[in-house]
Amino acid sequence: MGGFLDGKSAVITGSTSGIGLGYARALAAEGCDILLNGFGDEAEIETARADLESDFSVKASFHGADMRDPAAIKAMIETANADFGKIDILINNAGMQHRAPVESFPLDVWNDMFAVNVTSAMLTTQMVLPQMRERDWGRIINTASVNAHVTSPNTSGYTASKHAIMGLTKAVALETIMTGVTCNAICPGTVRTNLSEHRIDTFAAERGKTKEDVIDEFIDQKMPYHQAFRRFITVEEISAAAVYLCSEAGAAMRGAAFTIDGGWLVR
Ligand code: NAD
């Protein structure tokens, strides 16, 4: 097997489920070695790791660094360097969400959210960029969100953190503009993952309905003039964007917000 990423390696934070695992499988399908990161059931993570190796004949490792812990982040980057000899692609994808009115938004949750959604990406970039500059090739991709552009009530922390990661993306893109290193953000609309599943549960409970009964209503409140679309964005649609950004065709994408949202932003 193999593909255009043969001989390259990637660190993907928050890749034990959802969008991050989708990135991992899509890059591995192109021959890229992968370091997985995130929380979850140990056996399930090991299955996901072993599947990458057996399905795509690449090297895959795992490091469970907590993205709130700078020392653990450093250890994760050192592990990837030891496992693969280098890091060509960095995807900052770990993320958390919390909904609360701004007046009662808990400071500890706010700080955790900024640590995971923003600061960890700054730290990994700081640690990996020097070797990318040396080889004059690299891809840094940050998972932002439509919430890097618009918001909805009770999401002040998430929205502020996603605006911040978009800002970091633009700054890094400009600081590397004379190099072969690109930095871009992918901005998904609603993808059905653990993160959104929790939100759908709450939405259904608030209406006293079953989850499946509220799916259309849940989607419509986000994309009210696009009922014709009326579906979730798929993990595969998001990870295809990462594959493109990692290709040579993506070399001119600099500081972009690659939005895949079923028309949410143009409503
Ligand atoms: P998910 O819950 O499946 O994935 C989140 C990942 O981050 C998991 O691997 C989890 O273990 C990891 N993680 C969380 N806290 C961590 C920490 N402290 N340290 C290390 N890892 C940690 O959800 P997802 O939807 O796949 O989310 C991935 C990214 O996509 C997030 O940044 C999220 O904000 C973003 N996003 C999701 C949607 C959506 O609709 N699902 C939309 C826009 C953006």
Side-chain angles (χ1 to χ4, degrees):
M1 237 185 281
F4 76 89
L5 294 176
D6 268 348
K8 297 256 190 301
S9 54
V11 169
I12 308 175
T13 72
S15 49
T16 49
S17 63
I19 293 169
L21 186 55
Y23 290 142
R25 292 190 61 81
L27 296 194
E30 294 298 339
C32 193
D33 294 331
I34 305 286
L35 181 130
L36 294 172
N37 157 261
F39 299 152
D41 177 78
E42 216 173 287
E44 281 176 24
I45 294 171
E46 174 50 23
T47 302
R49 190 204 64 76
D51 283 352
L52 287 173
E53 293 199 331
S54 58
D55 293 350
F56 306 114
S57 306
V58 297
K59 275 195 260 175
S61 57
F62 167 73
H63 194 286
D66 184 332
M67 289 299 109
R68 293 168 297 186
D69 177 355
I73 293 172
K74 187 161 181 277
M76 174 187 74
I77 296 298
E78 283 167 359
T79 298
N81 279 325
D83 288 350
F84 309 132
K86 65 189 169 89
I87 300 165
D88 304 289
I89 297 166
L90 169 65
I91 304 189
N92 294 303
N93 172 75
M96 56 177 281
Q97 158 78 290
H98 182 81
R99 293 174 60 82
V102 67
E103 300 97 306
S104 55
F105 207 98
L107 179 61
D108 57 338
V109 176
W110 178 282
N111 286 338
D112 277 355
M113 198 176 297
F114 269 74
V116 177
N117 295 8
V118 188
T119 310
S120 74
M122 185 278 287
L123 290 171
T124 54
T125 300
Q126 239 178 19
M127 292 171 195
V128 175
L129 192 49
Q131 57 166 292
M132 289 180 172
R133 282 189 192 277
E134 231 166 77
R135 292 189 296 274
D136 199 29
W137 198 94
R139 295 289 186 263
I140 301 172
I141 300 171
N142 299 320
T143 306
S145 166
V146 287
N147 290 123
H149 301 281
V150 296
T151 190
S152 47
N154 304 324
T155 59
S156 58
Y158 189 73
T159 300
S161 74
K162 292 301 183 181
H163 276 62
I165 189 76
M166 195 61 237
L168 175 69
T169 304
K170 291 175 185 175
V172 173
L174 214 52
E175 289 185 27
T176 53
I177 203 80
M178 299 297 282
T179 75
V181 180
T182 75
C183 180
N184 293 284
I186 293 178
C187 299
T190 306
V191 185
R192 206 161 177 181
T193 63
N194 293 340
L195 192 129
S196 48
E197 215 62 50
H198 176 67
R199 174 69 197 118
I200 303 167
D201 283 338
T202 315
F203 189 85
E206 282 164 3
R207 282 155 186 78
K209 292 184 180 169
T210 69
K211 199 152 139 174
E212 292 316 312
D213 281 346
V214 298
I215 289 295
D216 283 353
E217 197 186 335
F218 180 80
I219 294 173
D220 289 350
Q221 47 131 22
K222 295 182 181 296
M223 296 180 273
Y225 305 118
H226 289 265
Q227 277 93 346
F229 190 80
R230 200 177 251 177
R231 66 168 176 82
F232 291 91
I233 312 298
T234 67
V235 163
E236 290 73 22
E237 287 169 327
I238 303 298
S239 49
V243 171
Y244 164 70
L245 289 173
C246 291
S247 73
E248 290 315 310
M253 296 285 283
R254 304 281 173 146
F258 199 141
T259 302
I260 305 160
D261 69 346
W264 181 337
L265 289 190
V266 296
R267 70 189 176 198

